[in-house]
């Protein structure tokens, strides 16, 4: 009697790659949403990426409750919680409860809650690299849009021509694309200088070279300076031999871009030379910036400890600024109509904090950033001493992002849709600096 073979059901094929990255998906969604066109005329209102960043915090809290584990180490809690001291004092001193609560929520989102959530959701170096590549992907997309705007004359207005690359952020946030591209460049350089697979390092180096073009046509002097400083330190920290090799490649690529491909237009060359012309006939944007810096310093001198309160700079600006300050900056192009954009911040994060939060706020917030930088650099030194450990790329990415942001804060402050990406960058830096980089492969949580 013959027996029919037993019916064997096919095994359910899991999706380990997707499932293993599940805790990162909300953070990746925040990054992806920054590819959407930013709404124009909202004057810095909340964006979909901001809303999802709130869900990231909620999702992280739910995971902590379900897994019943301690949220942060004592060191991480102190470093990330330090800004709350100055923020609480400045919120009490705000001109109105609405201004105090709104400013407090924004600062907590960018410098405390989202960074802490990213720190807790990134489990190991593989997760870190996934987010780093997500930064690169967003930068390549925004950079491609920006280069197309420059080439076709459909960008933001610059010296009467609509050639300034702004990506999907529009003319009211001219720093948005340059910030995204710079973050992607920092991640690319860090991944290229690390100890990963040769193919991955070569691809990362190629991405870094490609991103030089959109950064150039963003005409953002602050982003150029911050990128040059951060890349130089990344190269030096990676080792002198690698620094010389990569420096030679970057120099050759810059010569090709500027000379061979015609990216070095007269406007770009003039913009570069204007970096050193801050005292000899500066343009109106430089004059406005210096005038607002002086106004912020004057506010602080009258309220040295606590400042004028959160969101208080616009209200006190006219009482402290000289007549050299213009009525605002002209914005148009990239699909938006002409409008006069008011100057509501000093375009210097340190002076903004000093004027609104006083010495208490600056020491608290600046102390948190300094602690992250010191701890991150210490971790990088350890990674260099143990090249077989494989964490050098993560160290270089984290330190590069942090150094870029702290340098750029000399010429910019928080505001605009891309600000939420700053929060994610601080989270990656915090993960490396506050102990996450010690374990090559943490257990899944």
């Amino acid at each position: 009697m013959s027996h029919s073979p037993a019916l064997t059901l096919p095994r359910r094929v899991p999706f380990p790659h997707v499932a293993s990255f599940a805790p990162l998906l909300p953070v990746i969604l925040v990054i992806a949403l920054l590819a959407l066109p930013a709404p124009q005329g909202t004057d810095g209102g909340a964006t979909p990426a901001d809303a999802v960043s709130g869900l990231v915090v909620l999702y992280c809290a739910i995971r902590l409750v379900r897994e019943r584990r301690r949220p942060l180490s004592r060191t991480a809690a102190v470093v990330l919680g330090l800004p709350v001291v100055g923020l609480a004092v400045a919120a009490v001193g705000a001109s109105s409860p609405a201004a105090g609560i709104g400013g407090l929520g924004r600062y907590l989102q960018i410098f405390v809650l989202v960074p802490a959530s990213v720190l807790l959701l990134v489990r190991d170096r593989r997760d870190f690299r996934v987010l780093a590549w997500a930064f690169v992907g967003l930068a390549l997309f925004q950079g491609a849009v920006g280069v197309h705007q420059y080439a076709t004359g459909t960008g933001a207005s610059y010296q009467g021509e609509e050639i300034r690359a702004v990506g999907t952020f529009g003319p009211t946030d001219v720093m948005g694309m340059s910030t995204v591209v710079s973050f992607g460049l920092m991640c690319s350089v860090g991944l290229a200088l690390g100890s990963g697979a040769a193919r991955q390092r070569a691809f990362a180096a190629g991405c870094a070279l490609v991103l030089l073009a959109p950064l150039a046509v963003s005409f953002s002097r602050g982003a150029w300076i911050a990128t040059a400083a951060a890349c130089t330190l990344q190269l030096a920290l990676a080792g002198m031999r690698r620094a010389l090799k990569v420096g030679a490649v970057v120099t050759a690529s810059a010569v090709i871009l500027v000379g061979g491909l015609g990216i070095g237009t007269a406007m770009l060359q003039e913009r570069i030379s204007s970096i050193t012309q801050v005292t000899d006939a500066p343009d109106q944007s430089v004059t406005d910036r210096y005038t607002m810096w002086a106004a912020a310093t004057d506010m602080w001198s009258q309220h040295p400890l606590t400042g004028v309160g959160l969101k208080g700079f616009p209200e006190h600006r006219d009482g402290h600024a000289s007549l050299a300050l213009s009525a605002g900056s002209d914005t148009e192009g990239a699909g938006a109509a002409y409008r006069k954009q008011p100057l509501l911040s000093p375009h210097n994060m340190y002076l903004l904090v000093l004027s609104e939060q006083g010495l208490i706020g600056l020491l608290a917030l600046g102390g948190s950033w300094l602690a992250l930088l010191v701890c991150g650099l210490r971790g990088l030194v350890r990674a260099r001493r143990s090249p077989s450990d494989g964490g050098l790329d993560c160290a270089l990415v984290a330190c590069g992002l942090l150094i870029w942001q702290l340098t750029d804060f000399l010429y910019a402050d928080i505001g605009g849709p891309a600000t939420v990406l700053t929060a994610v960058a601080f989270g990656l830096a915090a993960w490396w600096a506050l102990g996450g980089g010690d374990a090559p492969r943490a257990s899944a949580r």
Side-chain angles (χ1 to χ4, degrees):
M1 181 177 179
S2 62
H3 296 279
S4 59
L7 180 63
T8 303
L9 295 175
R11 294 180 61 187
R12 187 164 58 97
V13 179
F15 296 91
H17 296 295
V18 176
S20 61
F21 294 138
L24 297 181
L25 293 181
V27 185
I28 295 174
L29 181 58
V30 170
I31 299 173
L33 286 173
L34 290 173
L36 297 177
Q40 300 301 312
T42 57
D43 292 326
T47 64
D50 288 314
V52 174
S53 74
L55 295 179
V56 169
V57 176
L58 179 61
Y59 173 71
C60 182
I62 292 173
R63 283 179 60 88
L64 292 176
V65 172
R66 289 183 58 185
E67 296 169 6
R68 298 178 182 179
R69 61 186 177 92
R70 188 174 67 176
L72 296 169
S73 67
R74 184 176 302 175
T75 302
V78 170
V79 171
L80 293 178
L82 189 59
V84 178
V85 177
L87 292 172
V89 174
V92 172
S95 58
S96 68
I101 294 173
L104 180 64
R106 185 61 161 168
Y107 274 93
L108 289 178
Q109 173 202 12
I110 302 304
F111 298 117
V112 180
L113 297 178
V114 174
S117 299
V118 173
L119 166 62
L120 292 166
L121 292 175
V122 174
R123 299 159 298 174
D124 50 40
R125 293 173 185 174
R126 186 184 65 168
D127 284 0
F128 185 101
R129 294 183 183 107
V130 168
L131 292 183
W133 280 112
F135 271 66
V136 176
L138 176 64
L140 290 172
F141 171 78
Q142 289 288 358
V145 174
V147 170
H148 178 266
Q149 291 170 335
Y150 173 80
T152 58
T154 55
S157 178
Y158 178 76
Q159 294 188 2
E161 297 185 41
E162 296 185 354
I163 59 171
R164 187 168 191 174
V166 292
T168 63
F169 295 101
T172 58
D173 184 21
V174 294
M175 288 292 295
M177 190 211 72
S178 62
T179 298
V180 169
V181 169
S182 297
F183 280 161
L185 209 157
M186 294 300 100
C187 292
S188 297
V189 172
L191 292 167
L193 294 173
S195 52
R199 182 177 299 178
Q200 175 179 283
R201 288 189 283 112
F203 183 72
C207 291
L209 295 176
V210 168
L211 290 173
L212 289 175
L215 182 62
V217 295
S218 71
F219 293 98
S220 175
R221 292 172 293 198
W224 293 346
I225 294 171
T227 300
C231 282
T232 300
L233 287 172
Q234 277 183 315
L235 291 171
L237 293 170
M240 192 54 63
R241 182 179 300 177
R242 289 186 180 182
L244 292 175
K245 289 181 180 179
V246 176
V249 173
V250 171
T251 301
S253 302
V255 170
I256 294 174
L257 286 172
V258 174
L261 301 183
I263 290 181
T265 63
M267 286 184 179
L268 182 57
Q269 294 171 4
E270 179 185 346
R271 189 69 166 175
I272 294 173
S273 63
S274 70
I275 293 176
T276 59
Q277 296 173 352
V278 293
T279 57
D280 257 353
D283 58 34
Q284 185 59 47
S285 65
V286 174
T287 300
D288 286 339
R289 182 162 301 184
Y290 281 173
T291 303
M292 290 189 292
W293 287 5
T297 306
D298 195 44
M299 292 179 202
W300 166 72
S301 66
Q302 295 186 12
H303 304 83
L305 287 180
T306 60
V308 297
L310 291 180
K311 291 196 171 183
F313 183 88
E315 182 180 347
H316 292 79
R317 183 201 63 181
D318 292 341
H320 297 270
S322 70
L323 296 177
L325 183 66
S326 66
S329 58
D330 300 331
T331 62
E332 63 178 326
Y338 171 84
R339 63 174 297 202
K340 179 76 72 172
Q341 188 173 11
L343 304 173
L344 302 178
S345 72
H347 295 289
N348 181 305
M349 190 66 197
Y350 305 104
L351 290 178
L352 177 64
V353 173
L354 191 64
S355 63
E356 294 188 344
Q357 303 178 40
L359 277 176
I360 295 176
L362 184 62
L363 290 176
L365 199 55
S368 174
W369 299 339
L370 182 60
L372 286 179
L373 182 59
V374 171
C375 294
L377 291 175
R378 287 176 57 188
L380 192 152
V381 171
R382 290 195 300 269
R384 280 195 59 188
R385 291 174 179 172
S386 305
S388 60
D389 196 29
L392 183 60
D393 55 348
C394 297
L396 291 170
V397 168
C399 292
L401 289 173
L402 189 56
I403 292 168
W404 186 93
Q405 189 61 75
L406 296 183
T407 305
D408 186 67
F409 274 164
L410 293 169
Y411 309 95
D413 46 49
I414 58 174
T419 300
V420 70
L421 197 64
T422 298
V424 179
F426 270 108
L428 289 178
W431 181 84
W432 175 263
L434 300 176
D438 290 340
R441 176 76 181 171
S443 58
R445 296 196 285 261

